[in-house]
Amino acid sequence: MFRKLKEAFARFIDTASSILTSREKLLEAIEEFKLNLVASDVAYEAAEDIAAQLSRRVEEGRVKRREDLVEALREILLGYFTNLGALDLVSLARSRKPFKIVFLGVNGVGKTTTIAKIAVYMRGNGFKPLMVAADTFRAGAQEQLKIHSERTGIPVFTGRYGWDPAALAYDAVQYGVGRGFDVFLIDTAGRMHVDVDLVNELKKVVRVVKPNVKILVVDALTGNDAVEQARFFNEAVGVDGVVVTKVDAYEEGGVPLSLAYVLGKPILFVGVGQDYKDLKPFNPIEYVDRVLA
Ligand code: GDP
């Protein structure tokens, strides 16, 4: 997990530690470090910012020892995760009923699996979740959620292909509230070729359903694409928090950092496997400790 990013930091810390007395060489090493960050999926503007912040500390004479360097990096990285705001689904759902979550994301990122994982998580916290198959566009989307429903025992509200997703989602909430469901997990379409129609469709779902939270699901393995998708969905309908999937198989490492920098919204969970229990709350301190270890 995050091997490449970890190596980029380790290599830089080793190189830089031996040239701390030469400001010029150190600034050169920072430039090279920046490129290695980009190669580990750190978004270019985030890598630039890390390099700039570090260079400033060097110029100010604040980096004298190896420990200063590690501490400076730690401070810079953690800085990207503070002030993102916290989003605790369990406490939010306790005070807002019905609690409606709209899930956004392109096909194949692990969106339906994540919906099922979060449904299981919410059930474990005493809620009565209903999954809503409001992707009426992609062949198989309805069936996919039905399979998750059979496996988890969590009900799903389905419709027909071609139906208006906003109307379906609205009906699902009406139906569910009357039957004691208190958390609604609403799937939406995520055509790979994102277009104006999709944006209008998602806007309508949001307008009609009035979700309490909009969660974007991205696949860590897609690297920079994950960051571009975050930009796209945030501009289209707004994103409150992110789930990053397939982190168990992810070596580059930079996606969580890039999302924090570019999107400025909290990462709620990471997906760490295919099982329903393979969902972990994202902890920025653990992440930073891991890449700086
Ligand atoms: P969707 O098209 O976005 O709904 O994607 P799916 O939920 O069907 O997931 C696509 C594939 O990714 C499936 O084989 C999932 O089991 C797998 N998957 C989803 N999340 C994770 C994860 O966190 N780790 C791993 N290793 N696989 C995952």
Side-chain angles (χ1 to χ4, degrees), residues 106-114 117 138 144 148 245-248 271-274 278:
V106 306
N107 297 335
V109 296
K111 190 165 44 152
T112 41
T113 307
T114 300
K117 284 177 177 178
R138 172 169 62 145
Q144 221 166 304
H148 288 305
T245 65
K246 307 183 199 173
V247 158
D248 49 305
V272 291
Q274 297 190 312
D278 293 331

PDB file of all heavy atoms in Angstrom, residues 106-114 117 138 144 148 245-248 271-274 278, ligand 1:
ATOM      1  N   VAL A 106     -18.027   7.363 -11.592  1.00  0.00           N
ATOM      2  CA  VAL A 106     -18.130   6.720 -12.899  1.00  0.00           C
ATOM      3  C   VAL A 106     -18.177   5.200 -12.743  1.00  0.00           C
ATOM      4  O   VAL A 106     -17.726   4.664 -11.734  1.00  0.00           O
ATOM      5  CB  VAL A 106     -16.995   7.144 -13.879  1.00  0.00           C
ATOM      6  CG1 VAL A 106     -16.909   8.652 -14.033  1.00  0.00           C
ATOM      7  CG2 VAL A 106     -15.663   6.592 -13.442  1.00  0.00           C
ATOM      8  N   ASN A 107     -18.722   4.550 -13.757  1.00  0.00           N
ATOM      9  CA  ASN A 107     -18.882   3.091 -13.712  1.00  0.00           C
ATOM     10  C   ASN A 107     -17.546   2.378 -13.533  1.00  0.00           C
ATOM     11  O   ASN A 107     -16.538   2.781 -14.106  1.00  0.00           O
ATOM     12  CB  ASN A 107     -19.510   2.604 -15.019  1.00  0.00           C
ATOM     13  CG  ASN A 107     -20.895   3.167 -15.200  1.00  0.00           C
ATOM     14  OD1 ASN A 107     -21.567   3.522 -14.240  1.00  0.00           O
ATOM     15  ND2 ASN A 107     -21.337   3.257 -16.449  1.00  0.00           N
ATOM     16  N   GLY A 108     -17.595   1.336 -12.726  1.00  0.00           N
ATOM     17  CA  GLY A 108     -16.415   0.494 -12.586  1.00  0.00           C
ATOM     18  C   GLY A 108     -15.492   0.861 -11.439  1.00  0.00           C
ATOM     19  O   GLY A 108     -14.555   0.127 -11.131  1.00  0.00           O
ATOM     20  N   VAL A 109     -15.756   1.970 -10.781  1.00  0.00           N
ATOM     21  CA  VAL A 109     -14.854   2.401  -9.700  1.00  0.00           C
ATOM     22  C   VAL A 109     -15.085   1.618  -8.404  1.00  0.00           C
ATOM     23  O   VAL A 109     -14.292   1.685  -7.474  1.00  0.00           O
ATOM     24  CB  VAL A 109     -14.981   3.921  -9.391  1.00  0.00           C
ATOM     25  CG1 VAL A 109     -14.538   4.752 -10.586  1.00  0.00           C
ATOM     26  CG2 VAL A 109     -16.395   4.286  -8.964  1.00  0.00           C
ATOM     27  N   GLY A 110     -16.209   0.892  -8.360  1.00  0.00           N
ATOM     28  CA  GLY A 110     -16.542   0.166  -7.128  1.00  0.00           C
ATOM     29  C   GLY A 110     -17.693   0.825  -6.385  1.00  0.00           C
ATOM     30  O   GLY A 110     -17.866   0.648  -5.183  1.00  0.00           O
ATOM     31  N   LYS A 111     -18.514   1.555  -7.132  1.00  0.00           N
ATOM     32  CA  LYS A 111     -19.589   2.331  -6.502  1.00  0.00           C
ATOM     33  C   LYS A 111     -20.662   1.439  -5.864  1.00  0.00           C
ATOM     34  O   LYS A 111     -21.016   1.649  -4.702  1.00  0.00           O
ATOM     35  CB  LYS A 111     -20.214   3.280  -7.530  1.00  0.00           C
ATOM     36  CG  LYS A 111     -21.170   4.294  -6.912  1.00  0.00           C
ATOM     37  CD  LYS A 111     -21.471   5.425  -7.869  1.00  0.00           C
ATOM     38  CE  LYS A 111     -21.740   4.894  -9.248  1.00  0.00           C
ATOM     39  NZ  LYS A 111     -22.614   5.736 -10.047  1.00  0.00           N
ATOM     40  N   THR A 112     -21.156   0.453  -6.606  1.00  0.00           N
ATOM     41  CA  THR A 112     -22.237  -0.367  -6.019  1.00  0.00           C
ATOM     42  C   THR A 112     -21.720  -1.181  -4.823  1.00  0.00           C
ATOM     43  O   THR A 112     -22.414  -1.311  -3.825  1.00  0.00           O
ATOM     44  CB  THR A 112     -22.894  -1.300  -7.064  1.00  0.00           C
ATOM     45  OG1 THR A 112     -21.890  -1.855  -7.889  1.00  0.00           O
ATOM     46  CG2 THR A 112     -23.883  -0.569  -7.917  1.00  0.00           C
ATOM     47  N   THR A 113     -20.493  -1.682  -4.943  1.00  0.00           N
ATOM     48  CA  THR A 113     -19.907  -2.421  -3.810  1.00  0.00           C
ATOM     49  C   THR A 113     -19.793  -1.497  -2.594  1.00  0.00           C
ATOM     50  O   THR A 113     -20.098  -1.898  -1.464  1.00  0.00           O
ATOM     51  CB  THR A 113     -18.509  -2.962  -4.196  1.00  0.00           C
ATOM     52  OG1 THR A 113     -18.625  -3.707  -5.399  1.00  0.00           O
ATOM     53  CG2 THR A 113     -17.935  -3.836  -3.105  1.00  0.00           C
ATOM     54  N   THR A 114     -19.374  -0.263  -2.836  1.00  0.00           N
ATOM     55  CA  THR A 114     -19.218   0.699  -1.735  1.00  0.00           C
ATOM     56  C   THR A 114     -20.574   1.021  -1.099  1.00  0.00           C
ATOM     57  O   THR A 114     -20.678   1.149   0.130  1.00  0.00           O
ATOM     58  CB  THR A 114     -18.539   1.992  -2.252  1.00  0.00           C
ATOM     59  OG1 THR A 114     -17.256   1.636  -2.772  1.00  0.00           O
ATOM     60  CG2 THR A 114     -18.380   3.024  -1.148  1.00  0.00           C
ATOM     61  N   LYS A 117     -21.319  -1.799   1.108  1.00  0.00           N
ATOM     62  CA  LYS A 117     -20.445  -1.759   2.297  1.00  0.00           C
ATOM     63  C   LYS A 117     -20.949  -0.723   3.302  1.00  0.00           C
ATOM     64  O   LYS A 117     -20.998  -0.974   4.506  1.00  0.00           O
ATOM     65  CB  LYS A 117     -19.014  -1.376   1.893  1.00  0.00           C
ATOM     66  CG  LYS A 117     -18.218  -2.478   1.222  1.00  0.00           C
ATOM     67  CD  LYS A 117     -16.840  -1.925   0.814  1.00  0.00           C
ATOM     68  CE  LYS A 117     -15.948  -2.996   0.204  1.00  0.00           C
ATOM     69  NZ  LYS A 117     -14.646  -2.431  -0.236  1.00  0.00           N
ATOM     70  N   ARG A 138     -27.466   2.247 -17.142  1.00  0.00           N
ATOM     71  CA  ARG A 138     -26.483   1.199 -17.454  1.00  0.00           C
ATOM     72  C   ARG A 138     -27.103  -0.182 -17.330  1.00  0.00           C
ATOM     73  O   ARG A 138     -27.654  -0.525 -16.274  1.00  0.00           O
ATOM     74  CB  ARG A 138     -25.284   1.312 -16.509  1.00  0.00           C
ATOM     75  CG  ARG A 138     -24.321   0.141 -16.659  1.00  0.00           C
ATOM     76  CD  ARG A 138     -23.027   0.370 -15.950  1.00  0.00           C
ATOM     77  NE  ARG A 138     -23.201   0.520 -14.521  1.00  0.00           N
ATOM     78  CZ  ARG A 138     -22.317   0.079 -13.632  1.00  0.00           C
ATOM     79  NH1 ARG A 138     -21.218  -0.550 -14.022  1.00  0.00           N
ATOM     80  NH2 ARG A 138     -22.511   0.273 -12.349  1.00  0.00           N
ATOM     81  N   GLN A 144     -26.993  -5.558 -10.342  1.00  0.00           N
ATOM     82  CA  GLN A 144     -25.810  -5.507  -9.480  1.00  0.00           C
ATOM     83  C   GLN A 144     -26.201  -5.199  -8.034  1.00  0.00           C
ATOM     84  O   GLN A 144     -25.741  -5.839  -7.102  1.00  0.00           O
ATOM     85  CB  GLN A 144     -24.882  -4.419 -10.002  1.00  0.00           C
ATOM     86  CG  GLN A 144     -23.432  -4.800  -9.984  1.00  0.00           C
ATOM     87  CD  GLN A 144     -22.643  -3.814 -10.817  1.00  0.00           C
ATOM     88  OE1 GLN A 144     -22.936  -3.601 -12.000  1.00  0.00           O
ATOM     89  NE2 GLN A 144     -21.677  -3.163 -10.216  1.00  0.00           N
ATOM     90  N   HIS A 148     -26.135  -7.520  -4.426  1.00  0.00           N
ATOM     91  CA  HIS A 148     -25.636  -7.044  -3.125  1.00  0.00           C
ATOM     92  C   HIS A 148     -26.729  -7.160  -2.065  1.00  0.00           C
ATOM     93  O   HIS A 148     -26.461  -7.461  -0.910  1.00  0.00           O
ATOM     94  CB  HIS A 148     -25.154  -5.592  -3.217  1.00  0.00           C
ATOM     95  CG  HIS A 148     -23.872  -5.438  -3.969  1.00  0.00           C
ATOM     96  ND1 HIS A 148     -22.721  -6.113  -3.647  1.00  0.00           N
ATOM     97  CD2 HIS A 148     -23.554  -4.676  -5.045  1.00  0.00           C
ATOM     98  CE1 HIS A 148     -21.750  -5.779  -4.489  1.00  0.00           C
ATOM     99  NE2 HIS A 148     -22.235  -4.904  -5.348  1.00  0.00           N
ATOM    100  N   THR A 245     -11.633   3.691  -3.359  1.00  0.00           N
ATOM    101  CA  THR A 245     -11.667   2.220  -3.364  1.00  0.00           C
ATOM    102  C   THR A 245     -10.341   1.622  -3.825  1.00  0.00           C
ATOM    103  O   THR A 245      -9.489   2.329  -4.366  1.00  0.00           O
ATOM    104  CB  THR A 245     -12.762   1.698  -4.322  1.00  0.00           C
ATOM    105  OG1 THR A 245     -12.398   2.063  -5.650  1.00  0.00           O
ATOM    106  CG2 THR A 245     -14.128   2.274  -3.989  1.00  0.00           C
ATOM    107  N   LYS A 246     -10.222   0.323  -3.604  1.00  0.00           N
ATOM    108  CA  LYS A 246      -9.110  -0.509  -4.107  1.00  0.00           C
ATOM    109  C   LYS A 246      -7.748  -0.079  -3.572  1.00  0.00           C
ATOM    110  O   LYS A 246      -6.710  -0.302  -4.210  1.00  0.00           O
ATOM    111  CB  LYS A 246      -9.125  -0.559  -5.641  1.00  0.00           C
ATOM    112  CG  LYS A 246     -10.502  -1.003  -6.166  1.00  0.00           C
ATOM    113  CD  LYS A 246     -10.578  -1.148  -7.647  1.00  0.00           C
ATOM    114  CE  LYS A 246     -12.038  -1.134  -8.115  1.00  0.00           C
ATOM    115  NZ  LYS A 246     -12.209  -1.111  -9.549  1.00  0.00           N
ATOM    116  N   VAL A 247      -7.768   0.531  -2.410  1.00  0.00           N
ATOM    117  CA  VAL A 247      -6.529   0.973  -1.779  1.00  0.00           C
ATOM    118  C   VAL A 247      -5.653  -0.234  -1.414  1.00  0.00           C
ATOM    119  O   VAL A 247      -4.429  -0.136  -1.348  1.00  0.00           O
ATOM    120  CB  VAL A 247      -6.893   1.865  -0.554  1.00  0.00           C
ATOM    121  CG1 VAL A 247      -5.781   1.927   0.448  1.00  0.00           C
ATOM    122  CG2 VAL A 247      -7.263   3.265  -1.039  1.00  0.00           C
ATOM    123  N   ASP A 248      -6.283  -1.387  -1.214  1.00  0.00           N
ATOM    124  CA  ASP A 248      -5.535  -2.620  -0.892  1.00  0.00           C
ATOM    125  C   ASP A 248      -4.547  -2.993  -1.997  1.00  0.00           C
ATOM    126  O   ASP A 248      -3.536  -3.643  -1.742  1.00  0.00           O
ATOM    127  CB  ASP A 248      -6.508  -3.790  -0.641  1.00  0.00           C
ATOM    128  CG  ASP A 248      -7.561  -3.923  -1.734  1.00  0.00           C
ATOM    129  OD1 ASP A 248      -8.264  -2.929  -1.994  1.00  0.00           O
ATOM    130  OD2 ASP A 248      -7.680  -5.015  -2.316  1.00  0.00           O
ATOM    131  N   GLY A 271     -11.675   1.786   0.567  1.00  0.00           N
ATOM    132  CA  GLY A 271     -12.033   0.389   0.325  1.00  0.00           C
ATOM    133  C   GLY A 271     -10.762  -0.429   0.327  1.00  0.00           C
ATOM    134  O   GLY A 271      -9.789  -0.069  -0.334  1.00  0.00           O
ATOM    135  N   VAL A 272     -10.772  -1.529   1.100  1.00  0.00           N
ATOM    136  CA  VAL A 272      -9.534  -2.315   1.234  1.00  0.00           C
ATOM    137  C   VAL A 272      -9.743  -3.782   0.852  1.00  0.00           C
ATOM    138  O   VAL A 272      -9.021  -4.656   1.322  1.00  0.00           O
ATOM    139  CB  VAL A 272      -8.935  -2.207   2.662  1.00  0.00           C
ATOM    140  CG1 VAL A 272      -8.402  -0.815   2.912  1.00  0.00           C
ATOM    141  CG2 VAL A 272      -9.971  -2.578   3.727  1.00  0.00           C
ATOM    142  N   GLY A 273     -10.740  -4.046   0.011  1.00  0.00           N
ATOM    143  CA  GLY A 273     -10.969  -5.423  -0.422  1.00  0.00           C
ATOM    144  C   GLY A 273     -12.373  -5.569  -0.968  1.00  0.00           C
ATOM    145  O   GLY A 273     -13.141  -4.602  -1.022  1.00  0.00           O
ATOM    146  N   GLN A 274     -12.709  -6.790  -1.373  1.00  0.00           N
ATOM    147  CA  GLN A 274     -13.994  -7.001  -2.032  1.00  0.00           C
ATOM    148  C   GLN A 274     -15.109  -7.375  -1.077  1.00  0.00           C
ATOM    149  O   GLN A 274     -16.276  -7.384  -1.441  1.00  0.00           O
ATOM    150  CB  GLN A 274     -13.832  -8.070  -3.107  1.00  0.00           C
ATOM    151  CG  GLN A 274     -12.853  -7.626  -4.189  1.00  0.00           C
ATOM    152  CD  GLN A 274     -12.855  -8.544  -5.382  1.00  0.00           C
ATOM    153  OE1 GLN A 274     -12.778  -9.757  -5.242  1.00  0.00           O
ATOM    154  NE2 GLN A 274     -12.952  -7.968  -6.564  1.00  0.00           N
ATOM    155  N   ASP A 278     -14.704  -4.814   4.193  1.00  0.00           N
ATOM    156  CA  ASP A 278     -13.453  -4.180   3.780  1.00  0.00           C
ATOM    157  C   ASP A 278     -13.616  -2.692   3.492  1.00  0.00           C
ATOM    158  O   ASP A 278     -13.373  -2.215   2.376  1.00  0.00           O
ATOM    159  CB  ASP A 278     -12.875  -4.903   2.548  1.00  0.00           C
ATOM    160  CG  ASP A 278     -12.440  -6.311   2.871  1.00  0.00           C
ATOM    161  OD1 ASP A 278     -12.067  -6.555   4.027  1.00  0.00           O
ATOM    162  OD2 ASP A 278     -12.487  -7.163   1.966  1.00  0.00           O
TER     163      ASP A 278
HETATM  164  P1  GDP B   1     -19.275  -0.106 -10.069  1.00  0.00           P
HETATM  165  O1  GDP B   1     -19.382  -0.377 -11.528  1.00  0.00           O
HETATM  166  O2  GDP B   1     -18.624   1.208  -9.813  1.00  0.00           O
HETATM  167  O3  GDP B   1     -20.545  -0.258  -9.330  1.00  0.00           O
HETATM  168  O4  GDP B   1     -18.226  -1.177  -9.524  1.00  0.00           O
HETATM  169  P2  GDP B   1     -18.439  -2.462  -8.614  1.00  0.00           P
HETATM  170  O5  GDP B   1     -18.936  -2.088  -7.281  1.00  0.00           O
HETATM  171  O6  GDP B   1     -19.189  -3.503  -9.361  1.00  0.00           O
HETATM  172  O7  GDP B   1     -16.927  -2.904  -8.427  1.00  0.00           O
HETATM  173  C1  GDP B   1     -16.104  -3.270  -9.522  1.00  0.00           C
HETATM  174  C2  GDP B   1     -15.100  -4.326  -9.038  1.00  0.00           C
HETATM  175  O8  GDP B   1     -14.218  -3.761  -8.083  1.00  0.00           O
HETATM  176  C3  GDP B   1     -15.767  -5.501  -8.326  1.00  0.00           C
HETATM  177  O9  GDP B   1     -15.114  -6.682  -8.713  1.00  0.00           O
HETATM  178  C4  GDP B   1     -15.526  -5.217  -6.851  1.00  0.00           C
HETATM  179  O10 GDP B   1     -15.489  -6.373  -6.065  1.00  0.00           O
HETATM  180  C5  GDP B   1     -14.180  -4.533  -6.907  1.00  0.00           C
HETATM  181  N1  GDP B   1     -13.956  -3.652  -5.745  1.00  0.00           N
HETATM  182  C6  GDP B   1     -14.754  -2.671  -5.263  1.00  0.00           C
HETATM  183  N2  GDP B   1     -14.177  -2.062  -4.207  1.00  0.00           N
HETATM  184  C7  GDP B   1     -12.980  -2.687  -3.999  1.00  0.00           C
HETATM  185  C8  GDP B   1     -11.901  -2.500  -3.049  1.00  0.00           C
HETATM  186  O11 GDP B   1     -11.916  -1.634  -2.169  1.00  0.00           O
HETATM  187  N3  GDP B   1     -10.832  -3.334  -3.178  1.00  0.00           N
HETATM  188  C9  GDP B   1     -10.754  -4.299  -4.153  1.00  0.00           C
HETATM  189  N4  GDP B   1      -9.673  -5.063  -4.199  1.00  0.00           N
HETATM  190  N5  GDP B   1     -11.754  -4.473  -5.057  1.00  0.00           N
HETATM  191  C10 GDP B   1     -12.845  -3.697  -4.980  1.00  0.00           C
END
